[in-house]
Amino acid sequence: PINTLKGYDYCTVNVVKFNLQFMIHTLLTILGVFSLNTANTTIAFEAEKGKELKIAYYGSRVDNLDQIKDAGFASVSAYPAYGLIGEKEAAISAMQADGNPTLDLRVEDYSIGQWENGEILCVSSKDSHYPFFVNNYFKSYREQDMIETWVEIVNKGRKTVTLNRYF
């Protein structure tokens, strides 16, 4: 019959399927994979602690994170820093007091919250060598196809850091 699957009734199969989807979503969130949705679009991020912040997907709306992972999209740097990206254009370039222009921003923490018309994701990254921090914010608008983004740049070192480029 249509409501059975190898001895299991339809409700049991759907409960197992829902629990599995919930566990996959929870695991992806633990691994630092997040998505923000607008009316018709989705942007998904990989924000794994100790690694570079990446955009895993941006395109038509997708409601399940596992669909994005299963599609096999190539991730790209969400906020490329000067010095480690080869020929690609950097979103941020800073000169440390000792003359080092290289930044190696690694995710330290992230948070996602609600606001009245969508969600806000904040990803905090730190340079692997210097006390230099970047907080990337992404704010989705549920009813419009708009994602607002901005950064906070923080030098917690005692010496001056010169920002050469920042977007």
Side-chain angles (χ1 to χ4, degrees):
I2 215 163
N3 289 342
T4 62
L5 181 63
K6 294 187 180 180
Y8 295 99
D9 64 55
Y10 181 76
C11 289
T12 302
V13 170
N14 279 337
V15 167
V16 169
K17 181 179 175 183
F18 172 78
N19 286 337
L20 183 58
Q21 286 176 338
F22 178 76
M23 288 187 308
I24 290 170
H25 177 78
T26 302
L27 178 60
L28 290 173
T29 301
I30 290 168
L31 293 175
V33 178
F34 301 97
S35 66
L36 298 176
N37 293 313
T38 68
N40 298 299
T41 63
T42 296
I43 187 167
F45 302 92
E46 293 174 0
E48 190 175 342
K49 291 182 181 184
K51 295 192 176 182
E52 179 184 22
L53 174 62
K54 296 202 175 256
I55 295 175
Y57 172 82
Y58 179 68
S60 299
R61 185 178 173 116
V62 176
D63 290 316
N64 293 318
L65 287 174
D66 53 324
Q67 289 176 318
I68 293 169
K69 288 300 259 183
D70 291 343
F73 292 105
S75 298
V76 296
S77 177
Y79 198 68
Y82 179 83
L84 298 176
I85 59 171
E87 298 297 317
K88 296 179 184 175
E89 189 170 340
I92 185 169
S93 172
M95 182 70 70
Q96 299 293 332
D98 64 2
N100 186 349
T102 301
L103 289 174
D104 183 21
L105 298 173
R106 301 296 172 175
V107 172
E108 278 206 328
D109 200 9
Y110 42 81
S111 63
I112 192 163
Q114 300 288 322
W115 73 285
E116 63 194 42
N117 192 22
E119 296 176 304
I120 297 177
L121 171 65
C122 175
V123 180
S124 300
S125 299
K126 180 190 177 295
D127 184 79
S128 62
H129 185 71
Y130 298 97
F132 187 85
F133 298 82
V134 173
N135 297 322
N136 292 89
Y137 292 89
F138 303 90
K139 182 178 182 180
S140 68
Y141 289 77
R142 201 174 283 120
E143 302 301 320
Q144 296 85 23
D145 288 327
M146 184 170 75
I147 297 172
E148 180 180 354
T149 182
W150 68 96
V151 297
E152 290 177 341
I153 301 168
V154 180
N155 174 26
K156 292 189 178 179
R158 293 183 208 166
K159 296 182 179 178
T160 301
V161 173
T162 303
L163 292 176
N164 299 318
R165 172 186 214 121
Y166 50 95
F167 293 103

